[in-house]
Amino acid sequence: MGQNDFDGLNQDLEEEDFELDWSVFGTQGTIEPHHVELLIEFDENDDRFSFLEERGEEYVAILLNLVTRLTQTKHLSAVLRHLNTFTFDFEEFISLFDQGNETILQLISVLRRKEDEPLVLTKLTQFLKTLFFHAKSNVEEAIVAYIDWAFATLDATDEKTTKIYILSSFMKILRKPHYRYILLHNGVERLYSHIAYVPKQNIQVLYQAVHCVWLLTLSEDIAITLTNNELVINLVTLLKKISKEKVLRLSLAILKNIFEGKDNNEKMIVAGIMRRLYTMNDRQWGDDDMEEDLAFLIENLEKVVSDLSTFDRYRQEVLTHSLEWTSACHKSERFWRENCMRFQEKDFEVLRALKEIIEVTSAKEDGDPKLLAIACWDIGEFVRFHPRGKSIIQMAQCKIPIMQLLDHENADVKKEALLALQKLMVTNWEYL
């Protein structure tokens, strides 16, 4: 992380220029007077290691109790700063905090209560990632709760500092393989939207999100299950749109790691990866791993390209919602004559996917009109060339979604919807 990425963080820290005075909490009645004495005794002790060996459990319990009871942001932030310093300076005693799910769940409840307070959120996520990383007890319930909170917050905020700290916590937690499996079964798909290309996005936030996905793929049995269309398309798009080498390096590594996942290689090809791989291969990167990943992807994807039939490629275009007019199959009568019967495969999988494209895309405010137009055209061509096309379309209930597009604001969509409906109603196609 570069210095510029810490500008907002340092600004927050500058707001904390007051000394932590334990006696204040005794005066306020937050903790007992003898607890205040213990906290002060630790600060003034020249042999803190011996102190912690004798009274560490009591000391830690007081600090955790303070975190759950304090309401003033400046006080809570100061105690959390103290805790983070403590776990850094006295790593040998982090096990004192390993008290199972209940303690961490109480801290997460503080997160939920103070999630609009950056001073608290940043320090508490930092503390929690340390507890999770060093936990020896079973904290699955707590990590699931943390994952749920983290994704809800990531989805709701545009604050760079908040995203950096949350993703940083994932980057540390996911270094432990058993946490990867918990994330896999508790909302891993929610991570994919955070590796989507967005113009003028913060590169550090993007890099950290990509880094989290990469950590997941270090477990091979997880990597082969990551076959989500959004994941593959987002990664290929990053290769095309992003110039930052650290993002490109990890994106290539992920694509290599998930290569054996079901249909992932075909999805990469349909997403247009080959041209970009060739362009990248013409450059010297100075990173052996990156160049090895490039060579692997090019060599193995070229084999897939040579084996893929035209219909296989078309099928992947439809299933990944990656329709483009530049794909020759849409306007090729030969393609439709030779392949119309293959639409029956897997219970009309491709036809159902075309219908889904229309329904899903038309329901979005920013739905791509190009997808709607091409899906209508392809359904019309299926009707035109399949001997039972009309009846199949009727049974698949494709007609109503197409009719609803007649009022679409885009002229091309209206045109293709009307043409598809005409093909459903007439017999002599040459008159259309």
Side-chain angles (χ1 to χ4, degrees):
M1 186 184 296
Q3 182 59 46
N4 290 340
D5 298 308
F6 279 105
D7 288 346
L9 283 59
N10 290 334
Q11 185 177 3
D12 289 341
L13 294 175
E14 288 169 4
E15 297 177 21
E16 300 182 346
D17 55 359
F18 61 93
E19 288 292 328
L20 186 56
D21 184 358
W22 300 116
S23 64
V24 171
F25 306 131
T27 303
Q28 294 174 343
T30 309
I31 55 177
E32 299 295 327
H34 65 280
H35 290 161
V36 174
E37 292 173 6
L38 186 68
L39 295 174
I40 294 174
E41 183 181 347
F42 173 80
D43 289 348
E44 296 177 349
N45 202 307
D46 292 330
D47 188 2
R48 294 180 178 179
F49 279 87
S50 297
F51 175 91
L52 290 171
E53 287 176 346
E54 295 178 10
R55 308 192 66 180
E57 289 186 12
E58 185 180 2
Y59 180 76
V60 163
I62 295 169
L63 290 174
L64 291 174
N65 182 44
L66 268 176
V67 172
T68 58
R69 297 188 66 182
L70 289 172
T71 57
Q72 288 191 38
T73 296
K74 67 177 182 179
H75 290 154
L76 179 54
S77 177
V79 173
L80 288 168
R81 180 181 58 184
H82 176 80
L83 278 168
N84 284 320
T85 302
F86 177 90
T87 55
F88 180 82
D89 292 341
F90 301 97
E91 188 172 334
E92 301 90 335
F93 295 96
I94 291 178
S95 60
L96 294 171
F97 295 94
D98 190 5
Q99 301 175 16
N101 284 299
E102 184 176 352
T103 296
I104 299 180
L105 286 170
Q106 289 176 348
L107 295 174
I108 293 172
S109 70
V110 176
L111 258 183
R112 295 184 187 279
R113 190 174 76 242
K114 290 285 190 178
E115 61 186 8
D116 294 329
E117 300 284 353
L119 289 174
V120 173
L121 184 146
T122 54
K123 293 172 187 61
L124 190 45
T125 54
Q126 185 178 351
F127 181 54
L128 282 168
K129 77 178 179 183
T130 301
L131 298 192
F132 282 126
F133 186 80
H134 291 278
K136 296 292 190 293
S137 58
N138 185 336
V139 292
E140 181 171 349
E141 183 184 355
I143 192 67
V144 169
Y146 181 74
I147 289 170
D148 182 65
W149 170 84
F151 280 128
T153 305
L154 285 171
D155 292 341
T157 185
D158 292 321
E159 175 57 47
K160 178 186 73 173
T161 302
T162 298
K163 290 187 174 185
I164 285 175
Y165 267 92
I166 292 175
L167 291 170
S168 175
S169 70
F170 277 157
M171 286 169 64
K172 184 159 187 172
I173 291 167
L174 292 174
R175 285 160 57 185
K176 299 288 187 178
H178 60 283
Y179 289 134
R180 298 172 194 163
Y181 294 93
I182 294 174
L183 177 58
L184 179 67
H185 298 295
N186 290 277
V188 66
E189 295 85 1
R190 298 175 72 179
L191 184 57
Y192 302 155
S193 63
H194 297 284
I195 65 168
Y197 170 75
V198 178
K200 298 182 180 179
Q201 66 198 125
N202 183 273
I203 292 297
Q204 182 60 31
V205 172
L206 175 63
Y207 167 74
Q208 290 185 208
V210 174
H211 194 111
C212 292
V213 178
W214 173 72
L215 286 169
L216 279 171
T217 66
L218 294 182
S219 296
E220 292 183 10
D221 50 343
I222 290 179
I224 61 172
T225 70
L226 302 181
T227 58
N228 183 283
N229 291 335
E230 182 184 11
L231 171 63
V232 176
I233 292 171
N234 284 350
L235 288 167
V236 174
T237 303
L238 291 181
L239 292 185
K240 296 176 180 179
K241 300 287 189 179
I242 298 295
S243 59
K244 197 71 172 179
E245 184 170 329
K246 64 182 182 179
V247 176
L248 295 176
R249 181 174 64 250
L250 283 183
S251 298
L252 285 171
I254 297 168
L255 289 166
K256 178 187 176 183
N257 291 346
I258 67 173
F259 186 85
E260 298 298 334
K262 185 176 182 292
D263 294 334
N264 276 350
N265 46 30
E266 296 180 17
K267 293 170 187 170
M268 295 177 200
I269 293 167
V270 170
I273 195 174
M274 296 307 298
R275 181 180 297 180
R276 178 56 176 152
L277 291 180
Y278 292 140
T279 302
M280 293 177 70
N281 200 42
D282 288 337
R283 173 180 164 184
Q284 292 294 324
W285 292 96
D287 184 311
D288 291 342
D289 289 338
M290 190 172 178
E291 293 182 354
E292 287 176 12
D293 291 345
L294 262 173
F296 172 89
L297 288 169
I298 290 173
E299 178 183 354
N300 287 278
L301 286 172
E302 284 180 339
K303 295 176 183 176
V304 176
V305 169
S306 64
D307 293 339
L308 273 179
S309 70
T310 304
F311 185 79
D312 290 330
R313 296 185 200 179
Y314 170 75
R315 171 179 166 273
Q316 281 302 323
E317 285 184 25
V318 176
L319 297 182
T320 58
H321 295 197
S322 304
L323 302 178
E324 296 285 348
W325 283 121
T326 52
S327 179
C329 57
H330 301 295
K331 296 296 179 103
S332 168
E333 290 198 5
R334 179 180 176 182
F335 169 81
W336 290 101
R337 285 196 191 93
E338 293 178 353
N339 294 288
C340 65
M341 302 305 293
R342 294 196 63 182
F343 276 70
Q344 298 176 190
E345 295 175 2
K346 298 183 180 181
D347 191 24
F348 293 94
E349 175 187 47
V350 172
L351 191 61
R352 287 187 286 107
L354 287 170
K355 178 187 175 186
E356 179 186 87
I357 288 174
I358 293 175
E359 292 175 334
V360 171
T361 306
S362 60
K364 295 179 180 177
E365 289 186 10
D366 59 347
D368 187 351
K370 174 188 64 182
L371 292 179
L372 295 172
I374 298 176
C376 288
W377 169 267
D378 286 359
I379 290 174
E381 291 298 88
F382 170 77
V383 171
R384 180 182 172 193
F385 287 94
H386 194 285
R388 294 176 51 244
K390 286 185 182 181
S391 60
I392 291 171
I393 290 298
Q394 294 286 1
M395 287 188 293
Q397 298 181 338
C398 294
K399 186 175 180 180
I400 292 177
I402 296 174
M403 289 179 65
Q404 291 172 342
L405 296 179
L406 294 175
D407 294 325
H408 198 278
E409 61 184 12
N410 183 276
D412 289 336
V413 172
K414 288 194 287 188
K415 170 189 170 186
E416 298 301 342
L418 179 60
L419 186 57
L421 291 170
Q422 288 174 333
K423 290 175 181 177
L424 273 167
M425 293 184 288
V426 303
T427 303
N428 297 316
W429 312 114
E430 63 269 20
Y431 295 117
L432 291 181

